[in-house]
Amino acid sequence: MLIKKRSGIEIPSSEITPQHLYLSRRQFMAGAALTTTAGLLAACGAGSPPEDANGAPVSSGDGSTAVSATTDELGDPLNTYEQITTYNNYYEFNTTKDGPARLAKDFPTSPWQVEVGGMVKNPKTYTMEDLLKFDQEERIYRLRCVEAWSMVIPWQGFPLAKILNEVEPTTDAKYVRFETIYDPDNMAGQRNRMFPWPYVEGLTVEEAMHDLTLLSTGLYGETLLPQNGAPIRLVVPWKYGFKSIKAIVKIELVDYMPISLWMESAPTEYGFFANVNPEVDHPRWSQATERRIGELGRRPTLMFNGYTEQVGHLYPNPNDDTNLNPRGT
Ligand code: MTE
């Protein structure tokens, strides 16, 4: 079952698309859901889906599009499939924007397991087949990179909370630590010692349990491509993009604040919370505005990337640098 949500607010699908389009889309997506596992096992680097004039994939079956809306809830257009899959940050491959699409093409994403443990009552190792059994929802989110570019992306996935509820964190667990696969044979970037691999990120348990916090397995109705973090990556839309860790193999509940790869690599520039905040500049550039990929000019950065209504309560003192300053904790 697919549930269409935009930034965590459930919107009846009838409000998003004309009824006949919605119904035919449901049929397409139901088919897509059934075939996702097979697709993953066959070829994660499957070729591009058919595209419309704007570069967005369309289903080949019934002519309906693979997404429920063409804008986010603020009315801004989705970035194209082409943009989302060819302009990437994935330092395990290289540090250019166009490199990951090329270099990650044959990255093996199957078989894959995600080990969930630490301070939990029921530790569990999930296969991708297990993870794809959770209802895959569509979420249209803005992704704001700390480098001051952004995109609007129609993800598929399921709330991280669904897994956390199954494994049941103990009362001592305060943070969630995530780890990317360490696979230097297949990730050339991990062979250079510039960074302390594997990539690590963290959230508080409260942040991790928030309904906006997604584990994504696809976008635009297609199985996630390697460059976007296949087969499973985190998406935390109110935080700078580096928190949205790709190719996750380990999720651990802990009682200490995890040190992320970026905190370790550049502690004067990157902190734990890393909430999007136009008022706190990166030490080397302003965060007041951003460049939406595909647009000319710049647009103002929104506090919490436009998700204040949903997450503002998690940060009772918005002027407290501990919560908002990307430079330190
Ligand atoms: N996860 C891993 N493992 N390695 C990375 O280099 N880059 C991060 C994040 N997750 C990164 C990662 C950064 S800086 C951003 S902005 C987003 O992924 C980019 O996601 P995208 O390439 O799907 O747009």
Side-chain angles (χ1 to χ4, degrees), residues 84 87-92 143-147 149 151 153 155 180 197 199 219 227-229 233 240-247 262:
I84 299 165
Y87 189 94
N88 300 104
N89 271 342
Y90 205 167
Y91 279 26
E92 282 85 342
L143 175 82
R144 170 58 158 83
C145 180
V146 75
E147 296 164 340
W149 56 264
M151 295 202 207
I153 303 179
W155 302 103
T180 293
W197 306 112
Y199 198 101
L219 60 88
Q227 59 266 38
N228 292 106
R233 58 97 53 91
Y240 290 115
F242 64 83
K243 300 293 290 183
S244 293
I245 180 172
K246 297 178 173 181
W262 288 109

Side-chain angles (χ1 to χ4, degrees), residues 5 8 45 53 68 73 75 111 113 126 198 201 211 239 281-282 286 289:
K5 286 191 179 184
S68 62
E73 83 284 8
Q113 291 190 332
Y126 292 85
E201 261 307 338
D211 183 58
K239 292 178 178 281
D281 291 338
H282 185 280
S286 166
T289 62

Side-chain angles (χ1 to χ4, degrees), residues 270-274 277 280-281 320-329:
Y270 304 107
F272 178 80
F273 286 95
N277 183 355
V280 180
D281 291 338
D320 181 349
D321 275 357
T322 302
N323 291 328
L324 297 168
N325 190 342
R327 286 172 291 191
T329 51

